[in-house]
Amino acid sequence: MVKGGFMNDDVHDDNYLPRILTNILDQVPDPYFIKDLDSMYIYANLPTAKLAGLRTPNDFLHRTEYELCSRLTENADVVKEWQLQDKQVSSSKKGLSMLEVHPEAVSYPYIVKKMPFYDNNNQCVGVVTYAKTRLC
């Protein structure tokens, strides 16, 4: 399902994930992922997999953090906080920015931005998360 490190059309079966968006996000160097309103991953790029210590973005799809086998998701309290943030973003329709520090899983701090994700009918259907992992 992954060709040349990028996800193909078979993976993006949700109608509200425009292929042009996933083509762009597949090419950016920083982690991007999209979760639905139930905190299920519906999209992740390769830098997201690398940050979490997983082999491929497909390891995320149709799973929550509780179902992932990653050092980044081992702490249930952290996962619970992430999911509460997702619910806050989707209900308030306002973004969040925070500094994430997880020394047991990642050797550097990174900035996370969460934004509501809308479908073609302007309904919030999830949350887009971006992690800024480099200074340049």
Side-chain angles (χ1 to χ4, degrees):
M1 288 218 185
V2 175
K3 295 179 182 175
F6 302 120
M7 302 170 91
N8 71 19
D9 289 325
D10 296 334
V11 174
H12 306 298
D13 57 359
D14 300 293
N15 291 333
Y16 46 79
L17 268 180
R19 188 68 192 144
I20 191 167
L21 172 64
T22 59
N23 280 342
I24 292 168
L25 296 180
D26 281 345
Q27 297 178 58
V28 296
D30 289 312
Y32 272 90
F33 56 90
I34 303 170
K35 293 192 284 182
D36 67 15
L37 295 176
D38 296 319
S39 289
M40 286 267 198
Y41 286 87
I42 58 172
Y43 170 81
N45 66 2
L46 188 57
T48 299
K50 288 181 180 180
L51 179 66
L54 299 174
R55 284 185 322 111
T56 171
N58 291 341
D59 293 339
F60 287 90
L61 296 182
H62 309 295
R63 293 184 174 97
T64 68
E65 285 95 347
Y66 290 113
E67 299 170 286
L68 297 176
C69 185
S70 165
R71 293 202 67 201
L72 197 55
T73 60
E74 286 177 346
N75 185 327
D77 292 332
V78 170
V79 171
K80 184 178 178 180
E81 179 61 30
W82 288 341
Q83 291 187 353
L84 288 171
Q85 291 167 359
D86 292 347
K87 288 193 185 318
Q88 179 184 346
V89 168
S90 63
S91 64
S92 72
K93 314 291 191 283
K94 293 181 181 175
L96 282 177
S97 295
M98 51 252 122
L99 178 65
E100 294 273 336
V101 180
H102 303 283
E104 68 285 349
V106 180
S107 61
Y108 48 86
Y110 53 94
I111 297 168
V112 172
K113 296 184 182 233
K114 294 186 174 197
M115 302 155 280
F117 182 63
Y118 297 95
D119 67 8
N120 290 336
N121 298 317
N122 207 30
Q123 298 294 310
C124 182
V125 293
V127 175
V128 177
T129 303
Y130 162 71
K132 181 68 175 163
T133 58
R134 346 178 200 287
L135 297 175
C136 303

